[in-house]
Amino acid sequence: MDGTSLQYPIGKYQPVGYSEQQKKIWLNDIRYLPELLEHAINGLDAFQFETPYREGGWQVRQVVHHLADSHMNAFIRCRLALTEKQPIVKPYDEKAWAELPDVFAVPVNMSVTLLHALHARWYTLMSSIDGEQWERTIYHPVYGNIQTLWFMLGSYAWHGKHHVAHITSLRERMNW
């Protein structure tokens, strides 16, 4: 595998227009991500959790904790979009967060447990959205763009599978 395929094992996120079928797929991606992640890390030992998924990439443990960090932020952003008129979201430095002491001190199962609870709420919230609500927006100052709830649903459905694929592709390459 080349560097690009190691960094983007399922490719980059490709937005698509609204459809009921796509909505069901993406909602299920949100709903079942914690179980998918649990399956991906099942049986890994301490050494394997400290292994980067690619040269220059995060360790498996950092990937797991990053999913919790990122998806907590995303859940809040979705709630802001539903309750405020085009809020400006607070960015965060995901690379710096991946180096904070808790990432190395807290067992990954804490973030997986957090993801189970978070995704149950997130799935319930997003399942209740209909019609024009999918067009509600946030402004992301880092990207300098406006994002709809529909775009965010697809982006985070992709994001979860993207990071799980980092782990599963590493396991395949290392024959774990």
Side-chain angles (χ1 to χ4, degrees), residues 37-50:
L37 179 61
E38 267 187 317
H39 181 71
I41 64 172
N42 187 39
L44 293 180
D45 62 30
F47 171 79
Q48 292 164 326
F49 277 112
E50 294 172 10

Side-chain angles (χ1 to χ4, degrees), residues 120-132:
R121 286 203 52 200
W122 199 6
Y123 171 80
T124 300
L125 175 67
M126 299 304 269
S127 294
S128 72
I129 294 172
D130 60 12
E132 293 177 8

Side-chain angles (χ1 to χ4, degrees), residues 68-94:
D69 293 341
S70 174
H71 290 198
M72 284 189 289
N73 276 284
F75 177 67
I76 296 300
R77 290 170 180 176
C78 289
R79 295 179 69 80
L80 288 169
L82 287 165
T83 59
E84 298 179 16
K85 183 176 171 71
Q86 198 169 295
I88 299 170
V89 297
K90 171 81 172 86
Y92 69 101
D93 184 342
E94 64 183 31

Side-chain angles (χ1 to χ4, degrees), residues 79-145:
R79 295 179 69 80
L80 288 169
L82 287 165
T83 59
E84 298 179 16
K85 183 176 171 71
Q86 198 169 295
I88 299 170
V89 297
K90 171 81 172 86
Y92 69 101
D93 184 342
E94 64 183 31
K95 291 177 180 148
W97 282 35
E99 295 295 333
L100 289 172
D102 64 310
V103 170
F104 301 98
V106 173
V108 296
N109 68 322
M110 299 287 273
S111 281
V112 173
T113 299
L114 189 156
L115 283 165
H116 274 284
L118 177 65
H119 276 246
R121 286 203 52 200
W122 199 6
Y123 171 80
T124 300
L125 175 67
M126 299 304 269
S127 294
S128 72
I129 294 172
D130 60 12
E132 293 177 8
Q133 287 182 307
W134 287 112
E135 296 304 315
R136 295 197 56 100
T137 60
I138 61 162
Y139 176 77
H140 199 299
V142 169
Y143 301 116
N145 67 8

Side-chain angles (χ1 to χ4, degrees), residues 58-73:
W58 286 334
Q59 297 173 359
V60 171
R61 81 172 42 262
Q62 290 173 295
V63 171
V64 174
H65 290 305
H66 163 73
L67 277 167
D69 293 341
S70 174
H71 290 198
M72 284 189 289
N73 276 284

